[in-house]
Amino acid sequence: GAGVSQSPSNKVTEKGKDVELRCDPISGHTALYWYRQSLGQGLEFLIYFQGNSAPDKSGLPSDRFSAERTGGSVSTLTIQRTQQEDSAVYLCASRDRGDTQYFGPGTRLTVL
Amino acid sequence: GQQLNQSPQSMFIQEGEDVSMNCTSSSIFNTWLWYKQEPGEGPVLLIALYKAGELTSNGRLTAQFGITRKDSFLNISASIPSDVGIYFCAGQRGGSNYKLTFGKGTLLTVNP
């Protein structure tokens, strides 16, 4: 079946521009996570959505980062006024009622 | 954010050799997981461990949940070229959000 998909796969932007990253979770999965993976680092938790509950935003590094999940399905991670340190791979994962998170292929963001 | 201490950072081995990598934490986790990430892909779950002292195998992979709940190891026996990738440990503290804390990864290279 279809897994988690993310778009775009690569994004190059100029410092100061806004970017939007999209995640399509596995159909029927109620939980959705965003992680950031910087070069040579493990994955860093950013934000978590569960059903209609208020999202857990405790991992967002600054107020330039925000995320939405519309209709309990697709999610968009927005980074405003991008900085060079925002360059990383942004990974999305979804989960059903079990505890296994299924990851998408990620979006590689490069801020020039 | 907090990360697990994973070692070694990288390994270069010959095909057929056995491999061992481990993770430690200063705090307790209720679940330990091991993921593998290949280039351009998101992490894929290899093994999940749910009880202190648990030893679980998945083919040539064996992982253990440390008795103190602060560490875990992963062994790969008789390595093959397709074992190449980055291996991550991850811990979950429990609760309903299943948020993961990741190690920085072990880059495994297998020479045929």
Side-chain angles (χ1 to χ4, degrees):
Chain A
V4 178
S5 61
Q6 293 186 245
S7 60
S9 55
N10 283 283
K11 176 71 176 178
V12 180
T13 190
E14 294 180 345
K15 178 182 173 181
K17 295 283 180 69
D18 297 352
V19 295
E20 285 189 352
L21 313 180
R22 177 186 169 107
C23 172
D24 285 84
I26 294 173
S27 178
H29 281 196
T30 58
L32 187 148
Y33 304 77
W34 283 97
Y35 293 87
R36 178 170 68 176
Q37 184 176 24
S38 302
L39 187 63
Q41 301 293 315
L43 280 69
E44 173 190 14
F45 167 80
L46 296 177
I47 188 169
Y48 161 70
F49 295 90
Q50 173 64 59
N52 296 321
S53 302
D56 177 356
K57 305 179 181 179
S58 60
L60 294 178
S62 78
D63 58 8
R64 295 186 296 105
F65 287 72
S66 63
E68 291 184 339
R69 189 178 186 193
T70 54
S73 181
V74 172
S75 178
T76 302
L77 177 69
T78 302
I79 308 174
Q80 295 177 312
R81 306 181 301 281
T82 52
Q83 304 294 312
Q84 288 183 333
E85 60 263 28
D86 299 334
S87 296
V89 175
Y90 289 83
L91 289 156
C92 174
S94 71
R95 175 176 63 80
D96 59 11
R97 295 178 182 176
D99 58 5
T100 301
Q101 295 182 28
Y102 297 88
F103 285 84
T107 294
R108 180 174 297 279
L109 174 66
T110 303
V111 182
L112 302 177
Chain B
Q2 178 189 1
Q3 287 191 326
L4 304 176
N5 299 310
Q6 184 171 350
S7 64
Q9 288 186 334
S10 62
M11 302 183 73
F12 298 85
I13 63 170
Q14 294 297 124
E15 182 176 0
E17 290 184 356
D18 297 344
V19 169
S20 184
M21 59 193 79
N22 69 85
C23 270
T24 60
S25 171
S26 58
S27 55
I28 289 172
F29 287 98
N30 292 332
T31 302
W32 282 87
L33 307 111
W34 287 91
Y35 285 84
K36 179 186 178 185
Q37 185 178 30
E38 298 186 13
E41 302 291 331
V44 175
L45 181 65
L46 298 175
I47 290 181
L49 303 155
Y50 300 101
K51 292 172 58 176
E54 178 181 354
L55 184 71
T56 296
S57 293
N58 178 7
R60 294 179 294 105
L61 278 61
T62 301
Q64 184 157 31
F65 191 149
I67 199 73
T68 64
R69 294 198 284 160
K70 293 182 179 181
D71 63 297
S72 177
F73 71 74
L74 175 70
N75 288 341
I76 305 173
S77 63
S79 60
I80 59 178
S82 61
D83 290 334
V84 165
I86 304 176
Y87 292 79
F88 291 100
C89 61
Q92 280 180 354
R93 288 204 167 78
S96 61
N97 62 13
Y98 297 99
K99 198 162 56 178
L100 295 174
T101 301
F102 281 84
K104 292 187 177 183
T106 296
L107 174 61
L108 178 63
T109 302
V110 180
N111 296 319

